[in-house]
CSV table of all heavy atoms in Angstrom, one decimal:
chain,number,residue,atom,x,y,z
A,1,SER,N,0.9,-1.2,0.0
A,1,SER,CA,0.0,0.0,0.0
A,1,SER,C,0.9,1.3,0.0
A,1,SER,O,0.5,2.3,-0.6
A,1,SER,CB,-0.9,0.0,1.2
A,1,SER,OG,-0.2,0.1,2.3
A,2,ALA,N,2.1,1.2,0.7
A,2,ALA,CA,2.9,2.3,0.6
A,2,ALA,C,3.4,2.6,-0.8
A,2,ALA,O,3.5,3.7,-1.2
A,2,ALA,CB,4.0,2.1,1.6
A,3,LEU,N,3.7,1.6,-1.5
A,3,LEU,CA,4.2,1.8,-2.9
A,3,LEU,C,3.0,2.3,-3.7
A,3,LEU,O,3.3,3.1,-4.5
A,3,LEU,CB,4.7,0.4,-3.4
A,3,LEU,CG,5.7,-0.2,-2.7
A,3,LEU,CD1,6.0,-1.5,-3.3
A,3,LEU,CD2,6.9,0.7,-2.8
A,4,GLN,N,1.8,1.9,-3.5
A,4,GLN,CA,0.7,2.4,-4.1
A,4,GLN,C,0.4,3.8,-3.9
A,4,GLN,O,0.0,4.7,-4.8
A,4,GLN,CB,-0.6,1.6,-3.9
A,4,GLN,CG,-0.5,0.1,-4.4
A,4,GLN,CD,-0.4,0.2,-6.0
A,4,GLN,OE1,0.7,-0.1,-6.5
A,4,GLN,NE2,-1.5,0.6,-6.7
A,5,GLU,N,0.5,4.2,-2.6
A,5,GLU,CA,0.4,5.6,-2.2
A,5,GLU,C,1.4,6.5,-2.8
A,5,GLU,O,1.1,7.7,-3.2
A,5,GLU,CB,0.4,5.7,-0.7
A,5,GLU,CG,-1.1,5.1,-0.1
A,5,GLU,CD,-0.9,5.0,1.5
A,5,GLU,OE1,0.1,5.2,2.1
A,5,GLU,OE2,-1.9,4.3,2.0
A,6,ILE,N,2.7,6.1,-2.8
A,6,ILE,CA,3.6,6.9,-3.5
A,6,ILE,C,3.3,7.1,-5.0
A,6,ILE,O,3.4,8.2,-5.5
A,6,ILE,CB,5.0,6.3,-3.4
A,6,ILE,CG1,5.5,6.2,-1.9
A,6,ILE,CG2,6.1,6.9,-4.1
A,6,ILE,CD1,6.7,5.4,-1.6
A,7,GLY,N,2.9,6.0,-5.6
A,7,GLY,CA,2.5,6.0,-7.0
A,7,GLY,C,1.3,7.0,-7.1
A,7,GLY,O,1.2,7.7,-8.2
A,8,TRP,N,0.3,7.0,-6.3
A,8,TRP,CA,-0.8,8.0,-6.4
A,8,TRP,C,-0.3,9.4,-6.4
A,8,TRP,O,-0.9,10.2,-7.1
A,8,TRP,CB,-1.8,7.7,-5.2
A,8,TRP,CG,-3.1,8.4,-5.2
A,8,TRP,CD1,-4.2,7.9,-5.8
A,8,TRP,CD2,-3.3,9.8,-4.8
A,8,TRP,NE1,-5.3,9.0,-5.7
A,8,TRP,CE2,-4.7,10.1,-5.2
A,8,TRP,CE3,-2.5,10.8,-4.3
A,8,TRP,CZ2,-5.2,11.3,-4.9
A,8,TRP,CZ3,-3.1,12.1,-3.9
A,8,TRP,CH2,-4.4,12.3,-4.3
A,9,VAL,N,0.7,9.7,-5.6
A,9,VAL,CA,1.1,11.1,-5.5
A,9,VAL,C,1.8,11.5,-6.8
A,9,VAL,O,1.4,12.5,-7.3
A,9,VAL,CB,2.1,11.3,-4.5
A,9,VAL,CG1,2.8,12.6,-4.4
A,9,VAL,CG2,1.5,11.0,-2.9
A,10,LYS,N,2.6,10.6,-7.4
A,10,LYS,CA,3.2,10.8,-8.7
A,10,LYS,C,2.1,11.1,-9.8
A,10,LYS,O,2.3,12.1,-10.5
A,10,LYS,CB,4.0,9.6,-9.0
A,10,LYS,CG,5.3,9.5,-8.3
A,10,LYS,CD,6.2,8.3,-8.9
A,10,LYS,CE,7.4,8.1,-8.2
A,10,LYS,NZ,8.2,6.9,-8.7
A,11,GLU,N,1.1,10.2,-9.7
A,11,GLU,CA,0.1,10.3,-10.8
A,11,GLU,C,-0.7,11.6,-10.6
A,11,GLU,O,-1.0,12.2,-11.7
A,11,GLU,CB,-0.9,9.1,-10.7
A,11,GLU,CG,-2.0,9.1,-11.7
A,11,GLU,CD,-2.9,8.0,-11.4
A,11,GLU,OE1,-2.5,7.0,-10.7
A,11,GLU,OE2,-4.1,8.0,-12.0
A,12,ASN,N,-1.1,12.0,-9.4
A,12,ASN,CA,-1.9,13.2,-9.3
A,12,ASN,C,-1.0,14.5,-9.1
A,12,ASN,O,-1.6,15.6,-9.3
A,12,ASN,CB,-2.7,13.1,-7.9
A,12,ASN,CG,-3.9,12.1,-8.1
A,12,ASN,OD1,-5.0,12.5,-8.5
A,12,ASN,ND2,-3.6,10.8,-7.8
A,13,GLN,N,0.2,14.4,-9.2
A,13,GLN,CA,1.1,15.6,-9.3
A,13,GLN,C,0.9,16.3,-10.7
A,13,GLN,O,1.1,17.5,-10.8
A,13,GLN,CB,2.5,15.3,-9.1
A,13,GLN,CG,3.4,16.5,-8.8
A,13,GLN,CD,4.8,16.2,-8.5
A,13,GLN,OE1,5.2,15.0,-8.5
A,13,GLN,NE2,5.6,17.2,-8.3
A,14,VAL,N,0.5,15.5,-11.6
A,14,VAL,CA,0.3,16.0,-13.0
A,14,VAL,C,-0.9,16.9,-13.0
A,14,VAL,O,-0.7,18.1,-13.6
A,14,VAL,CB,0.0,14.8,-14.0
A,14,VAL,CG1,-0.4,15.4,-15.3
A,14,VAL,CG2,1.1,13.8,-14.0
A,15,SER,N,-1.9,16.6,-12.2
A,15,SER,CA,-3.0,17.6,-12.2
A,15,SER,C,-2.9,18.6,-11.0
A,15,SER,O,-3.7,19.6,-11.0
A,15,SER,CB,-4.4,16.9,-12.0
A,15,SER,OG,-4.3,16.1,-10.8
A,16,CYS,N,-2.0,18.4,-10.2
A,16,CYS,CA,-1.9,19.4,-8.9
A,16,CYS,C,-0.3,19.3,-8.6
A,16,CYS,O,0.2,18.7,-7.9
A,16,CYS,CB,-2.6,18.8,-7.7
A,16,CYS,SG,-2.5,19.9,-6.3
A,17,PRO,N,0.4,20.2,-9.3
A,17,PRO,CA,1.8,20.4,-9.2
A,17,PRO,C,2.4,20.6,-7.8
A,17,PRO,O,3.5,20.0,-7.4
A,17,PRO,CB,2.3,21.6,-10.0
A,17,PRO,CG,1.1,21.6,-11.0
A,17,PRO,CD,-0.1,21.2,-10.4
A,18,SER,N,1.5,21.1,-6.8
A,18,SER,CA,2.0,21.3,-5.5
A,18,SER,C,2.0,20.0,-4.7
A,18,SER,O,2.7,20.0,-3.7
A,18,SER,CB,1.1,22.3,-4.8
A,18,SER,OG,-0.2,21.8,-4.5
A,19,LEU,N,1.4,18.9,-5.2
A,19,LEU,CA,1.3,17.7,-4.5
A,19,LEU,C,2.5,16.9,-4.8
A,19,LEU,O,2.6,16.2,-5.8
A,19,LEU,CB,0.0,17.0,-5.0
A,19,LEU,CG,-0.5,15.8,-4.2
A,19,LEU,CD1,-0.7,16.1,-2.8
A,19,LEU,CD2,-1.6,15.1,-4.9
A,20,GLU,N,3.6,17.0,-4.0
A,20,GLU,CA,5.0,16.5,-4.3
A,20,GLU,C,5.2,15.3,-3.3
A,20,GLU,O,6.0,14.4,-3.6
A,20,GLU,CB,6.0,17.5,-4.2
A,20,GLU,CG,5.9,18.6,-5.1
A,20,GLU,CD,7.1,19.5,-5.1
A,20,GLU,OE1,8.0,19.3,-5.7
A,20,GLU,OE2,6.9,20.7,-4.3
A,21,TYR,N,4.8,15.4,-2.0
A,21,TYR,CA,5.4,14.5,-1.0
A,21,TYR,C,4.4,13.5,-0.5
A,21,TYR,O,3.2,13.5,-0.6
A,21,TYR,CB,5.9,15.4,0.2
A,21,TYR,CG,7.0,16.3,-0.1
A,21,TYR,CD1,6.8,17.6,-0.5
A,21,TYR,CD2,8.2,15.9,-0.1
A,21,TYR,CE1,7.7,18.5,-0.9
A,21,TYR,CE2,9.3,16.7,-0.5
A,21,TYR,CZ,9.1,18.1,-0.8
A,21,TYR,OH,10.1,18.9,-1.2
A,22,TYR,N,5.1,12.4,0.0
A,22,TYR,CA,4.4,11.3,0.8
A,22,TYR,C,4.9,11.4,2.1
A,22,TYR,O,6.1,11.2,2.5
A,22,TYR,CB,4.8,10.0,0.1
A,22,TYR,CG,4.1,8.8,0.8
A,22,TYR,CD1,2.8,8.8,1.0
A,22,TYR,CD2,4.9,7.8,1.2
A,22,TYR,CE1,2.1,7.5,1.7
A,22,TYR,CE2,4.4,6.6,1.8
A,22,TYR,CZ,3.1,6.6,2.1
A,22,TYR,OH,2.6,5.4,2.7
A,23,TYR,N,3.9,11.6,3.1
A,23,TYR,CA,4.3,11.6,4.6
A,23,TYR,C,3.9,10.3,5.2
A,23,TYR,O,2.8,9.9,5.0
A,23,TYR,CB,3.6,12.8,5.3
A,23,TYR,CG,4.0,14.2,5.0
A,23,TYR,CD1,4.4,14.6,3.7
A,23,TYR,CD2,4.4,15.1,6.1
A,23,TYR,CE1,4.7,16.0,3.5
A,23,TYR,CE2,4.8,16.3,5.9
A,23,TYR,CZ,5.0,16.7,4.6
A,23,TYR,OH,5.7,18.0,4.5
A,24,LEU,N,4.9,9.8,5.9
A,24,LEU,CA,4.6,8.4,6.4
A,24,LEU,C,4.4,8.5,7.9
A,24,LEU,O,4.3,7.4,8.7
A,24,LEU,CB,5.9,7.5,6.3
A,24,LEU,CG,6.2,7.1,4.8
A,24,LEU,CD1,7.1,8.2,4.2
A,24,LEU,CD2,7.0,5.8,4.8
A,25,GLY,N,4.1,9.6,8.5
A,25,GLY,CA,3.8,9.7,10.0
A,25,GLY,C,5.1,10.0,10.7
A,25,GLY,O,5.9,10.9,10.3
A,26,TYR,N,5.2,9.4,11.9
A,26,TYR,CA,6.3,9.5,12.7
A,26,TYR,C,7.3,8.4,12.4
A,26,TYR,O,7.0,7.2,12.3
A,26,TYR,CB,6.0,9.4,14.1
A,26,TYR,CG,5.3,10.7,14.7
A,26,TYR,CD1,4.3,10.7,15.5
A,26,TYR,CD2,5.8,12.0,14.3
A,26,TYR,CE1,3.6,12.0,16.0
A,26,TYR,CE2,5.1,13.2,14.7
A,26,TYR,CZ,4.0,13.1,15.5
A,26,TYR,OH,3.4,14.2,15.8
A,27,TYR,N,8.6,8.7,12.4
A,27,TYR,CA,9.7,7.8,12.4
A,27,TYR,C,10.3,7.8,13.8
A,27,TYR,O,10.8,8.8,14.3
A,27,TYR,CB,10.8,8.2,11.4
A,27,TYR,CG,12.0,7.4,11.5
A,27,TYR,CD1,12.1,6.1,10.9
A,27,TYR,CD2,13.2,7.7,12.2
A,27,TYR,CE1,13.2,5.2,11.0
A,27,TYR,CE2,14.3,7.0,12.2
A,27,TYR,CZ,14.3,5.7,11.7
A,27,TYR,OH,15.5,5.0,11.8
A,28,ILE,N,10.4,6.6,14.4
A,28,ILE,CA,10.8,6.4,15.7
A,28,ILE,C,12.1,5.4,15.8
A,28,ILE,O,11.9,4.3,15.7
A,28,ILE,CB,9.7,5.9,16.7
A,28,ILE,CG1,8.5,6.9,16.6
A,28,ILE,CG2,10.3,5.9,18.1
A,28,ILE,CD1,7.3,6.5,17.4
A,29,HIS,N,13.2,6.1,15.9
A,29,HIS,CA,14.4,5.3,15.6
A,29,HIS,C,14.6,4.4,17.0
A,29,HIS,O,15.3,3.3,16.8
A,29,HIS,CB,15.7,6.3,15.6
A,29,HIS,CG,16.9,5.6,15.1
A,29,HIS,ND1,16.9,5.2,13.7
A,29,HIS,CD2,18.1,5.4,15.7
A,29,HIS,CE1,18.2,4.7,13.5
A,29,HIS,NE2,18.9,4.8,14.7
A,30,SER,N,14.1,4.8,18.0
A,30,SER,CA,14.2,3.9,19.2
A,30,SER,C,13.3,2.8,19.3
A,30,SER,O,13.2,1.9,20.2
A,30,SER,CB,14.0,4.8,20.5
A,30,SER,OG,12.8,5.4,20.5
A,31,CYS,N,12.4,2.8,18.3
A,31,CYS,CA,11.3,1.6,18.2
A,31,CYS,C,11.6,0.8,16.9
A,31,CYS,O,11.3,1.4,15.9
A,31,CYS,CB,10.0,2.3,18.2
A,31,CYS,SG,8.5,1.1,18.1
A,32,ASN,N,12.0,-0.4,17.1
A,32,ASN,CA,12.3,-1.2,15.9
A,32,ASN,C,11.0,-1.3,14.9
A,32,ASN,O,11.3,-1.4,13.7
A,32,ASN,CB,12.8,-2.6,16.3
A,32,ASN,CG,14.1,-2.5,16.8
A,32,ASN,OD1,14.9,-1.7,16.6
A,32,ASN,ND2,14.4,-3.5,17.7
A,33,LYS,N,9.9,-1.4,15.5
A,33,LYS,CA,8.7,-1.5,14.6
A,33,LYS,C,8.5,-0.4,13.7
A,33,LYS,O,7.7,-0.6,12.7
A,33,LYS,CB,7.5,-1.9,15.5
A,33,LYS,CG,7.5,-3.2,16.2
A,33,LYS,CD,6.2,-3.5,16.9
A,33,LYS,CE,6.1,-4.8,17.5
A,33,LYS,NZ,4.9,-5.1,18.3
A,34,MET,N,8.9,0.8,14.0
A,34,MET,CA,8.6,1.9,13.3
A,34,MET,C,9.8,2.2,12.4
A,34,MET,O,9.7,3.4,11.7
A,34,MET,CB,8.3,3.1,14.3
A,34,MET,CG,7.3,2.8,15.2
A,34,MET,SD,5.7,2.5,14.3
A,34,MET,CE,5.2,4.1,13.6
A,35,ARG,N,10.8,1.6,12.4
A,35,ARG,CA,12.0,2.0,11.6
A,35,ARG,C,11.9,1.5,10.0
A,35,ARG,O,12.6,2.1,9.2
A,35,ARG,CB,13.3,1.2,12.1
A,35,ARG,CG,13.9,1.7,13.3
A,35,ARG,CD,15.2,1.1,13.6
A,35,ARG,NE,15.9,1.5,14.8
A,35,ARG,CZ,17.2,1.4,15.1
A,35,ARG,NH1,17.9,0.7,14.5
A,35,ARG,NH2,17.6,1.9,16.3
A,36,TYR,N,10.9,0.8,9.8
A,36,TYR,CA,10.6,0.3,8.4
A,36,TYR,C,10.4,1.5,7.5
A,36,TYR,O,10.7,1.4,6.2
A,36,TYR,CB,9.4,-0.6,8.4
A,36,TYR,CG,8.1,0.1,8.6
A,36,TYR,CD1,7.5,0.7,7.4
A,36,TYR,CD2,7.6,0.2,9.8
A,36,TYR,CE1,6.2,1.3,7.6
A,36,TYR,CE2,6.3,0.9,9.9
A,36,TYR,CZ,5.7,1.4,8.8
A,36,TYR,OH,4.5,2.0,9.0
A,37,LYS,N,10.0,2.7,7.9
A,37,LYS,CA,9.6,3.8,7.2
A,37,LYS,C,10.8,4.4,6.4
A,37,LYS,O,10.7,5.0,5.3
A,37,LYS,CB,8.9,4.9,8.1
A,37,LYS,CG,7.6,4.4,8.7
A,37,LYS,CD,7.0,5.5,9.5
A,37,LYS,CE,5.7,4.9,10.2
A,37,LYS,NZ,5.0,6.1,11.0
């Protein structure tokens, strides 16, 4: 789903140039479960 959401941003940037980024929430280096981001 993360790959699809990144692809969605790329696709819709064509119609909305300001739409550039994909925010994944919080990155928590001290928590192994959240390092995947």
Side-chain angles (χ1 to χ4, degrees):
S1 69
L3 300 177
Q4 291 300 106
E5 289 168 358
I6 294 171
W8 187 94
V9 175
K10 288 183 178 180
E11 179 182 346
N12 284 270
Q13 190 178 2
V14 176
S15 58
C16 180
S18 66
L19 191 62
E20 295 184 87
Y21 292 96
Y22 176 56
Y23 282 53
L24 294 87
Y26 284 138
Y27 172 80
I28 304 175
H29 197 68
S30 57
C31 178
N32 286 335
K33 290 185 178 181
M34 303 301 286
R35 287 192 178 189
Y36 73 87
K37 298 181 181 182

